[in-house]
Amino acid sequence: MKLRALSLIIAVCLPVTVLQAKGPRSSLPAFSSNWGARLGFAATATYINDAFIDEHELTEYTQDTQVGNFVAFLFRLNSRTVFLQSGIGLSCNKSCFYLDMNRWDPESESKNDMSCSFTLKSFTVPLQIGYHIVSRPPYCLSAFTGPCFRYSPDKFYSVSFNNIEPHDFTETPREIILGWTAGLSVQIGRTFLDFEYEATLNTVTTPLTDNNNPYPTQEYRLDRRLGIMSFSYGIIF
C-alpha cells in the first residue's frame, strides 16, 4: 500500500518538477545587441552608363581599379538566426578610367585618350539584414545584404582630367548616392572579417561643366556607377 502511494506521488510530482526545471518555453527568439568598429580597404571600379562629348557618344573605355580605405562604427541587433545591422562610416574611394575621344569616327587612325582620375570621400550609412549560416560560438559565418546611403559633400570630391583640349571640364558629386550591398562575415570570438561588394544604383556625379563655357551644358556627360569590393577587420565591443 505504501509502495503504491509512493509511486502515485512520484508520478504526479515528476512532470511538475521537470517543467519547473525547464522553465516556460517562449516562441519568440532571444535578442541581443552590440556595437563594433571595423577598418578596411576598398577596390573601386568604374562602370560608364553614358558618355557624351562634342555631340558624340563614346561607348568603349578602359579602367584602372584603385584601392582606397574606410573606417566604420556599426550597431547590430541579433536574434538566433537573423540580425539587423547599421552604423556610420567614412570611406575614401579612388578610380581612374580612359576614353578614346576619336572612337566615334570609324575613319580615325589615331587614339585620343581622355583620362579621368577621381577621389570620392563620403559618409556611409548601411541598412542591412543578415542570416547566420553557421552559429557555433565562438565561431559564426553570416551572409548579409541591404542598401547603403552615401553622403558626398562637394569639398570631399577631387577630380583630374587629362588630354581634354580644347575643353576644361569640372564636375561635382551627387550629394546622395544609393547603393546595394551583399557580403559575408566570419566571426571568431569578438573579432570578425567582412567581405562586401557594393554596386551604386544611381550616377555618382552631375553633368560635366566646361569652364571655357560660362553655362553648364547637358552635351557633356560622363554618367557612371561604381562597383566597390571591400575587405575589413573589426572588433565587437
Side-chain angles (χ1 to χ4, degrees), residues 28-34 76-84 129-132 135 140 142:
L28 295 176
F31 288 96
S32 64
S33 62
N34 46 43
R76 183 179 290 181
L77 181 63
N78 300 284
S79 72
R80 290 192 180 98
T81 56
V82 300
F83 62 90
L84 300 176
I129 184 171
Y131 177 77
H132 297 305
S135 183
C140 184
S142 308

Side-chain angles (χ1 to χ4, degrees), residues 14 35 38 46 64 83 85-86 89 146 163 236:
L14 183 60
W35 292 84
R38 57 178 182 152
T46 300
D64 181 13
F83 62 90
Q85 180 172 282
S86 186
N163 198 22
I236 297 294

Side-chain angles (χ1 to χ4, degrees), residues 6-233:
L6 181 60
S7 300
L8 181 60
I9 293 173
I10 295 176
V12 172
C13 293
L14 183 60
V16 176
T17 304
V18 172
L19 288 175
Q20 290 178 346
K22 288 185 176 181
R25 300 181 63 181
S26 173
S27 59
L28 295 176
F31 288 96
S32 64
S33 62
N34 46 43
W35 292 84
R38 57 178 182 152
L39 175 70
F41 302 95
T44 304
T46 300
Y47 302 99
I48 296 179
N49 298 331
D50 185 17
F52 200 80
I53 297 177
D54 287 337
E55 300 183 353
H56 302 297
E57 184 179 9
L58 307 176
T59 58
E60 296 188 10
Y61 64 94
T62 58
Q63 62 174 301
D64 181 13
T65 300
Q66 298 183 2
V67 177
N69 50 65
F70 69 95
V71 62
F73 294 94
L74 60 91
F75 172 77
R76 183 179 290 181
L77 181 63
N78 300 284
S79 72
R80 290 192 180 98
T81 56
V82 300
F83 62 90
L84 300 176
Q85 180 172 282
S86 186
I88 186 170
L90 177 63
S91 68
C92 177
N93 301 100
K94 303 177 181 181
S95 188
C96 180
F97 62 92
Y98 308 88
L99 279 167
D100 183 3
M101 297 179 67
N102 291 340
R103 186 67 179 179
W104 63 271
D105 186 1
E107 298 181 359
S108 176
E109 297 181 357
S110 63
K111 296 181 66 177
N112 183 18
D113 279 338
M114 178 199 76
S115 68
C116 174
S117 301
F118 63 92
T119 299
L120 177 69
K121 297 179 181 179
S122 54
F123 295 99
T124 61
V125 178
L127 298 174
Q128 299 167 324
I129 184 171
Y131 177 77
H132 297 305
I133 302 173
V134 177
S135 183
R136 295 181 179 178
Y139 307 104
C140 184
L141 173 64
S142 308
F144 57 88
T145 187
C148 180
F149 299 90
R150 290 176 174 266
Y151 173 66
S152 305
D154 187 11
K155 63 181 180 180
F156 283 7
Y157 181 75
S158 62
V159 61
S160 174
F161 293 97
N162 293 312
N163 198 22
I164 57 174
E165 294 78 7
H167 306 290
D168 184 15
F169 289 138
T170 60
E171 65 179 3
T172 58
R174 296 193 181 276
E175 285 194 348
I176 302 299
I177 301 172
L178 175 62
W180 193 268
T181 64
L184 289 174
S185 179
V186 179
Q187 182 174 342
I188 303 176
R190 290 188 173 273
T191 64
F192 64 91
L193 299 175
D194 276 3
F195 305 87
E196 182 178 335
Y197 180 78
E198 177 185 353
T200 60
L201 303 180
N202 58 334
T203 58
V204 298
T205 58
T206 59
L208 294 172
T209 299
D210 189 351
N211 291 331
N212 294 331
N213 184 344
Y215 302 101
T217 175
Q218 295 289 335
E219 294 299 321
Y220 305 124
R221 297 193 303 272
L222 284 176
D223 296 341
R224 58 192 185 274
R225 298 177 295 106
L226 302 180
I228 304 169
M229 177 67 74
S230 64
F231 165 79
S232 62
Y233 171 82

